[in-house]
Amino acid sequence: MIGTMRSLHEVDPATEQFVQQEQQRQETSFMMIPSENSTSRAVMQACGSTLINKYAEGYPAKRYYEGNAVVDAVENLAIERAKKLFGAEHVNVQPYSGSPANLEVYYAVLKPGDKILGMQLNMGGHLTHGHGVNFSAKFYKAAQYVVDPKTHLLDMDAIRKLAHQEKPNIIVSGATAYPRIIDFKQFHEIAEEVGAYSFADISHIAGLIAGGAHPSPFPFTDLVMTTTHKTLRGPRGAMIMCKKLDRLAKTEGMDEKQAAKEKDLAGKVDRAVFPALQGGPHENIIAGKAVAFHEALQPEFKEYAHQIVKNAKALAAELMSHGVKLVTDGTDNHLLLIDLTPTMGIGMGKPVAAALADIGLIMNYNTVPYDQAKPFNPSGIRLGTPGLTTRGMKEKEMKDIGHWMAQVIKEPKNDEIKQQLRKEVLEMTKQFPLYG
Ligand code: DSN
């Protein structure tokens, strides 16, 4: 029967079973993929609300459909909260996710064939920062910076030199596998020197920035993109923030109206999102974003953000005390990158990550800088503490987890050890329930 009143249980027990299985999996294991997190029930309620039913192409007070008074209020609430959270001049909360949002940023300020300078993927960057298989290197030219071969840190002098050589139109800062502080101010200064836009992709560390646990790219960076579901702990989605005015607008020969449009960076971003690259915004998800921003504006969120970093440092110290090699020998943020090369040899990331998953510690295999192995069989493991910190865990638990991890890393095939450790992990998950 077609209708709206019946529950998932009544309509589709097969899907309901998977939903329950996934909840059970999350409750009984530890989410240690650094880009994952657990949203609050409040965020999930907003995302699962009747806002899911509404079409709202356009922007608040400028929609192409009737019936959007409530939707307008929700979207404005999300925008105002995001502005307050980050100190942004302009915010667009409609992007569906990080990769489309990055395309929208490029579309807003570049012409096809313009040049992007971003961090190479296997050094810790992202596909959309100029990797050859991605639109960012197909529609645009791409130059890539790397980390220092010895320290594996970003070398700002080398990046400056490269920027002067390559003369990009936009410089992307931000990473998906970099465990140290990113100097957004210097990135912006370099962009100014070479006449490029500065663009920070803060997806991984947005929650740390909001909570004051990592330096901010505001107010100087031209364009900032973040996903909303990582350290920010919101629903799966993204947003773009930018300055109102385009510092690089060229208005020679334009009349006043054209010149005003050319200078309007906020307008360029909004038009790139809709109508250029997206259709109807997902207003239920925007409501979830509004809730997450409200949560992130509370004093407890500052504590949360700082605890993520404290936990990462405690976990790093414990792992290193057992001889586990970390890229850059530690962390300043939420993320750790284990380099298995010195202890296990190259290409061991996948089997060791699988062995850790056997005991209920879920992370991902990852390349390490200058990895000699291929990305699908790399030599590293990427992990982080946002998910653990959401469960209320602190340094003491990090010490236990680091100790368990070290045992598995030494003997990934030892089933006896893994069975024992699985019990310990399970016991700890019960002490720190997720949704009850
Ligand atoms: N997939 C995200 C991550 O895991 O870092 C980046 O897009």
Side-chain angles (χ1 to χ4, degrees):
M1 189 186 79
I2 300 297
T4 56
M5 305 295 277
R6 291 187 305 156
S7 67
L8 177 61
H9 179 67
E10 291 167 282
V11 174
D12 186 355
T15 301
E16 185 200 32
Q17 200 185 0
F18 289 135
V19 171
Q20 284 171 350
Q21 282 173 5
E22 177 57 15
Q23 177 159 349
Q24 181 69 2
R25 185 194 71 78
Q26 291 185 20
E27 287 286 353
T28 56
S29 60
F30 284 131
M31 174 189 275
M32 294 178 69
I33 292 173
S35 49
E36 289 184 353
N37 210 336
S38 306
T39 64
S40 64
R41 251 187 224 293
V43 167
M44 287 196 278
Q45 274 174 356
C47 295
S49 68
T50 51
L51 283 156
I52 201 170
N53 297 328
K54 194 69 196 94
Y55 251 129
E57 265 111 326
Y59 289 101
K62 277 177 280 172
R63 305 283 187 186
Y64 290 82
Y65 294 85
E66 294 302 325
N68 276 313
V70 177
V71 154
D72 280 5
V74 168
E75 192 165 328
N76 279 328
L77 186 64
I79 290 169
E80 289 314 312
R81 286 175 175 171
K83 280 186 182 169
K84 195 166 165 197
L85 193 56
F86 290 99
E89 288 181 18
H90 178 76
V91 180
N92 188 312
V93 291
Q94 294 191 1
Y96 300 141
S97 204
S99 292
N102 281 349
L103 174 56
E104 285 151 10
V105 167
Y106 299 144
Y107 187 92
V109 294
L110 303 182
K111 295 185 296 303
D114 277 356
K115 193 181 277 185
I116 294 168
L117 174 61
M119 189 174 186
Q120 199 167 298
L121 178 67
N122 58 7
M123 298 283 156
H126 188 254
L127 282 167
T128 55
H129 298 178
H131 191 278
V133 301
N134 186 260
F135 71 84
S136 54
K138 292 194 186 291
F139 296 178
Y140 307 101
K141 293 191 200 90
Q144 301 266 269
Y145 58 85
V146 295
V147 292
D148 180 84
K150 284 213 179 77
T151 62
H152 295 169
L153 296 171
L154 287 170
D155 175 348
M156 297 310 291
D157 292 337
I159 293 168
R160 172 172 275 114
K161 204 169 150 200
L162 185 64
H164 280 266
Q165 267 167 19
E166 295 284 345
K167 301 196 177 10
N169 303 89
I170 194 165
I171 300 183
V172 190
S173 55
T176 64
Y178 186 67
R180 296 294 175 177
I181 298 289
I182 295 176
D183 189 342
F184 293 116
K185 189 116 189 42
Q186 273 214 64
F187 270 105
H188 178 70
E189 285 164 7
I190 296 170
E192 279 189 323
E193 286 165 23
V194 301
Y197 292 97
S198 58
F199 169 35
D201 177 344
I202 60 168
S203 296
H204 263 254
I205 53 173
L208 302 185
I209 291 168
H214 187 288
S216 172
F218 295 97
F220 41 85
T221 307
D222 294 307
L223 297 134
V224 178
M225 193 289 295
T226 184
T227 49
T228 44
H229 48 272
K230 299 187 173 93
T231 46
L232 204 46
R233 223 164 68 186
R236 210 148 272 277
M239 65 175 157
I240 301 170
M241 299 174 268
C242 67
K243 287 184 183 163
K244 281 191 177 145
L245 287 182
D246 186 336
R247 176 173 65 79
L248 299 174
K250 291 189 183 64
T251 56
E252 259 169 51
M254 290 183 176
D255 65 30
E256 215 173 298
K257 204 170 157 206
Q258 285 170 324
K261 196 172 170 193
E262 181 56 31
K263 283 186 204 152
D264 179 15
L265 183 59
K268 287 177 183 172
V269 165
D270 286 350
R271 287 191 296 278
V273 175
F274 177 85
L277 291 159
Q278 290 193 181
H282 299 170
E283 293 294 343
N284 56 321
I285 301 299
I286 289 173
K289 290 174 188 175
V291 177
F293 302 154
H294 175 68
E295 290 175 339
L297 281 162
Q298 306 312 308
E300 307 86 87
F301 195 85
K302 279 198 173 51
E303 267 172 56
Y304 169 68
H306 283 94
Q307 190 64 47
I308 289 176
V309 178
K310 284 189 212 163
N311 283 351
K313 284 181 185 288
L315 186 52
E318 183 64 22
L319 286 167
M320 290 190 295
S321 78
H322 292 281
V324 175
K325 165 71 185 154
L326 296 183
V327 170
T328 77
D329 297 319
T331 180
D332 294 329
N333 57 25
H334 64 303
L335 179 148
L336 290 72
L337 194 53
I338 296 174
D339 184 357
L340 295 165
T341 319
T343 45
M344 315 276 295
I346 65 163
M348 289 299 289
K350 207 176 200 173
V352 177
L356 288 160
D358 288 342
I359 70 163
L361 303 179
I362 311 298
M363 21 200 123
N364 67 278
Y365 54 88
N366 211 92
T367 52
V368 292
Y370 302 97
D371 206 325
Q372 294 165 55
K374 294 234 161 68
F376 205 63
N377 251 322
S379 307
I381 297 176
R382 189 185 69 150
L383 63 143
T385 52
L388 301 180
T389 312
T390 294
R391 290 178 91 131
M393 297 162 75
K394 298 229 164 88
E395 287 92 327
K396 181 181 170 299
E397 288 76 37
M398 299 305 119
K399 212 168 153 46
D400 289 340
I401 290 180
H403 186 215
W404 298 336
M405 282 179 65
Q407 291 177 63
V408 176
I409 291 170
K410 275 195 191 108
E411 293 188 74
K413 288 191 182 144
N414 189 326
D415 289 333
E416 208 177 309
I417 289 181
K418 286 196 289 184
Q419 271 162 19
Q420 178 53 33
L421 292 179
R422 175 70 193 124
K423 283 188 201 141
E424 308 228 26
V425 169
L426 203 51
E427 195 45 45
M428 195 183 268
T429 61
K430 287 184 198 145
Q431 288 165 29
F432 295 93
L434 249 184
Y435 298 106

